[in-house]
Amino acid sequence: MSKNVNIDWNNLGFGYTKTDFRYVSMWKDGAWDEGKLTEDNMISISESSTAIHYGQQCFEGLKAYTTSTGDVQLFRPDENAMRMNRSCRRVLMPEIPVEKFVDACIQVVKANLDYVPPYGTGATLYLRPYVIGVGHNLGVKPAPEFMFGVFCVPVGAYFKGGMAPVNFTIADMDRAAPYGTGAAKVGGNYAGSMMPHQEAVNKGFADCIYLDPMTHTKIEEVGAANFFGITKDNKFITPKSPSILPSITKYSLMYLAENYLKMAVEERDCEIDKIDEFTEAGACGTAAVITPIGGIDYKDKLHVFFSETEVGPVTKKLYDTLVGIQFGDVEAPEGWIVKVK
């Protein structure tokens, strides 16, 4: 369906490119319609839509990968579907049947196959599903109609010159309120993070680390990613909190640490005053898979983990294993891969 494209796959960044087709489905009168592919990358909605005024919306992010044999595959799209439904429930939007979500993603990838980067470039096709409240509305209440869409964009390899550690600082502001929307992937979480992120960058750091909003004593998230640490006795530790977005990458790494690397895994409090228990640390998410943390600036002191210049051996092994699964070079656990073609 799509045309041949002229893209320099090795020099792609993480920015918007208009691809040929995207998927749109509307919810009206209590049900989703069948949905369809469209070439139009602009959407027209009521000026009174709840998505604009009250933030009634959510989104997801996942990728399609080309394997060495030329197959194109998705990584755990059912998990994205289930997480989107948890977000929808949190802000009173209708859920998307998992089969409909996965099918929409497959339709979009198939319609844009020429935009799926070739194997070996490290580049991928990023998919952005979203649900927004639309239709005429004025009061603070759920929208009368909703739109579910999926579009895709080719994105470059996150680490252009190889994976390297970066430093973070502790944010003065909170990412989410206690018992708020921190565990939902809603836009308001990200709008609120822009200022602390910019302040961290202005100070020379890659991003900021958010502590728990109730006590400001425990690590919760690293920018828009989840935190993990490797202890001196080789345990994989990651924070547990109702304010953390449940990262599909993080739970995949937990499974790989336990079943592929034979490590003990714990999801528990990570107190900022006890970060010296970790010999390695990282931030994990869809975009980079893992961003190694060189050091954390806390109380005017930079606590360095493994190294500010070298990636720790466990972090590297976890990264290589997960990326190997995503690109089809390492055997995946059952159910993790959905073939597109």
Side-chain angles (χ1 to χ4, degrees), residues 235-248:
K235 289 179 182 174
F236 181 101
I237 311 294
T238 188
K240 186 174 180 63
S241 161
S243 299
I244 295 173
L245 181 73
S247 164
I248 293 158

Side-chain angles (χ1 to χ4, degrees), residues 54-99:
Y54 305 129
Q56 192 181 29
Q57 59 84 255
C58 66
F59 68 98
E60 274 298 324
L62 65 158
K63 292 176 175 178
Y65 308 80
T66 303
T67 69
S68 61
T69 58
D71 289 337
V72 176
Q73 58 190 32
L74 296 170
F75 177 75
R76 308 191 78 179
D78 55 319
E79 291 291 332
N80 291 94
M82 290 186 281
R83 186 171 68 178
M84 174 166 265
N85 284 336
R86 292 194 294 271
S87 297
C88 284
R89 287 196 293 271
R90 180 63 181 82
V91 291
L92 293 183
M93 298 194 297
E95 296 180 32
I96 315 293
V98 172
E99 299 78 15

Side-chain angles (χ1 to χ4, degrees), residues 309-329:
T309 56
E310 300 293 324
V311 181
V314 179
T315 301
K316 180 76 164 63
K317 182 67 174 172
L318 285 167
Y319 177 87
D320 289 345
T321 304
L322 184 50
V323 171
I325 287 170
Q326 291 171 333
F327 282 103
D329 298 324

Side-chain angles (χ1 to χ4, degrees), residues 25-28 30-32 45 49-60 80-97 101 129-135 141-149 181 184-188:
S25 180
M26 299 300 299
W27 185 93
K28 295 179 183 179
W32 290 104
I45 61 175
S49 293
T50 59
I52 301 171
H53 301 280
Y54 305 129
Q56 192 181 29
Q57 59 84 255
C58 66
F59 68 98
E60 274 298 324
N80 291 94
M82 290 186 281
R83 186 171 68 178
M84 174 166 265
N85 284 336
R86 292 194 294 271
S87 297
C88 284
R89 287 196 293 271
R90 180 63 181 82
V91 291
L92 293 183
M93 298 194 297
E95 296 180 32
I96 315 293
F101 180 100
Y130 61 89
V131 180
I132 57 175
V134 298
K141 60 186 177 183
E145 300 173 8
F146 296 88
M147 176 186 291
F148 165 49
T181 58
K185 198 167 176 66
V186 295

